[in-house]
């Protein structure tokens, strides 16, 4: 019995394949840099991270990024947040432009030339999230200046 094996083409030692040049690797690097800046801006907002459930992201077929979450803020609120937070000290102006009008459920942004599609599923809005009773907040839990008769949440966590 004769078994045929398929062999993958080996990459040249230069690190690029013959059909790809430096231009492709630079655009790919810019895509990931834009994604990193967006995720860093979202991570710096405790209200956003704490209020969202099922935060997911994936790369689109056209090399765009898709970010989706349940509950939490409206998509246009996140688009405004990103336009405000994603900055570069060496560049005058914002690195984010809105590609179209955002709605509560979706918004499209251009970040450093990379398209981002934001999608909120069952959003509540930032004002509703802040006003929701019983919502545990990291900022309030770590506030040591607030004196009460009861133990602070961080004291409960640390056993103090």
């Amino acid at each position: 019995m004769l078994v045929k094996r398929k062999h993958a083409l080996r990459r040249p030692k230069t690190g690029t394949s013959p059909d790809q040049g430096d231009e492709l690797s630079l655009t790919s690097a810019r895509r990931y840099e834009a994604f990193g800046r967006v995720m860093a801006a979202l991570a710096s907002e405790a209200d956003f991270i704490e209020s969202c459930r099922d935060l997911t992201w994936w790369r689109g077929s056209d090399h765009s990024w898709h970010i989706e979450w349940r509950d939490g803020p409206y998509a246009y609120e996140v688009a405004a947040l990103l336009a405000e937070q994603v900055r570069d000290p060496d560049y005058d102006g914002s690195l984010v432009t809105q590609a179209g009008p955002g709605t509560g459920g979706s918004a499209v942004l251009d970040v450093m030339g990379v398209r981002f599609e934001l999608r909120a599923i069952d959003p509540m809005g930032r004002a509703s999230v802040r006003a929701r009773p019983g919502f545990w907040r990291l900022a309030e839990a770590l506030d040591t200046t607030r004196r009460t008769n009861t133990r602070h949440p961080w004291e409960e966590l640390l056993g103090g």
Side-chain angles (χ1 to χ4, degrees), residues 62-113:
D62 58 348
H63 302 292
S64 63
W65 288 101
H66 298 259
I67 301 175
E68 184 177 277
W69 64 92
R70 287 191 179 282
D71 299 338
Y74 294 114
Y76 67 84
E77 292 175 327
V78 175
L81 168 79
L82 292 174
E84 178 184 309
Q85 295 289 330
V86 178
R87 301 262 181 213
D88 188 351
D90 297 332
Y91 179 75
D92 293 334
S94 178
L95 298 174
V96 178
T97 56
Q98 292 195 7
T103 65
S106 66
V108 179
L109 303 173
D110 183 282
V111 180
M112 300 173 53

Side-chain angles (χ1 to χ4, degrees), residues 86-140:
V86 178
R87 301 262 181 213
D88 188 351
D90 297 332
Y91 179 75
D92 293 334
S94 178
L95 298 174
V96 178
T97 56
Q98 292 195 7
T103 65
S106 66
V108 179
L109 303 173
D110 183 282
V111 180
M112 300 173 53
V114 179
R115 181 181 171 99
F116 281 80
E117 296 186 21
L118 308 176
R119 184 167 175 223
I121 301 170
D122 300 328
M124 299 182 297
R126 291 179 90 174
S128 297
V129 168
R130 289 182 181 142
R132 189 166 70 179
F135 185 64
W136 186 79
R137 298 167 107 63
L138 183 61
E140 291 174 7

Side-chain angles (χ1 to χ4, degrees), residues 5-71:
R5 289 188 173 184
K6 292 184 180 180
H7 296 281
L9 295 174
R10 293 184 183 208
R11 288 188 173 190
K13 293 185 181 191
T14 61
T16 60
S17 61
D19 61 339
Q20 296 176 347
D22 287 337
E23 185 178 323
L24 184 60
S25 62
L26 288 176
T27 55
S28 182
R30 186 176 60 235
R31 252 181 237 114
Y32 283 99
E33 180 184 356
F35 179 70
R37 287 177 185 248
V38 166
M39 295 309 282
L42 295 179
S44 69
E45 279 295 314
D47 284 345
F48 176 78
I49 294 297
E50 291 177 356
S51 65
C52 293
R53 290 186 312 126
D54 303 329
L55 177 65
T56 58
W57 57 88
W58 64 94
R59 206 168 99 181
S61 61
D62 58 348
H63 302 292
S64 63
W65 288 101
H66 298 259
I67 301 175
E68 184 177 277
W69 64 92
R70 287 191 179 282
D71 299 338

